[in-house]
Amino acid sequence: MKVIMAPIEMIAWFDIPGTPRPIRFRHDGNVVKVEMIKRISEEKLAGNRTKIYECQSEIHGQMRVFELKYELNTCKWFLWKI
């Protein structure tokens, strides 16, 4: 996977404990629906807590695995790897 770390527009829902679940996002004018979340992990870099979502979706006719990052302090979403 290639590291991109690009900010994205995200539609997500939050469960009762407050955990965000990505539904779909826009990157470079293309809308990608998150079809499956394979794994959720959390990391802390320089005091900044982030949630990392390893997801799988069909992009341009191919099943692709990618990673999304959600910064808990700033509430920003990033397409981290694809």
Side-chain angles (χ1 to χ4, degrees), residues 27-33 35 57-64 82:
H27 176 66
D28 288 340
N30 297 321
V31 176
V32 177
K33 180 183 176 201
E35 294 179 15
S57 292
E58 186 175 333
I59 302 172
H60 302 298
Q62 292 182 341
M63 288 305 282
R64 303 279 308 260
I82 191 163

Side-chain angles (χ1 to χ4, degrees), residues 24-55:
R24 65 179 178 258
F25 65 93
R26 184 181 324 196
H27 176 66
D28 288 340
N30 297 321
V31 176
V32 177
K33 180 183 176 201
V34 177
E35 294 179 15
M36 181 173 53
I37 299 172
K38 297 171 93 175
R39 182 176 42 162
I40 301 172
S41 59
E42 192 168 324
E43 74 176 18
K44 191 174 186 181
L45 269 160
N48 190 11
R49 292 178 45 216
T50 60
K51 285 197 176 283
I52 301 170
Y53 296 84
E54 184 179 334
C55 305

Side-chain angles (χ1 to χ4, degrees), residues 11-25:
I11 295 177
W13 63 270
F14 292 77
D15 56 13
I16 292 181
T19 304
R21 302 286 178 168
I23 296 173
R24 65 179 178 258
F25 65 93

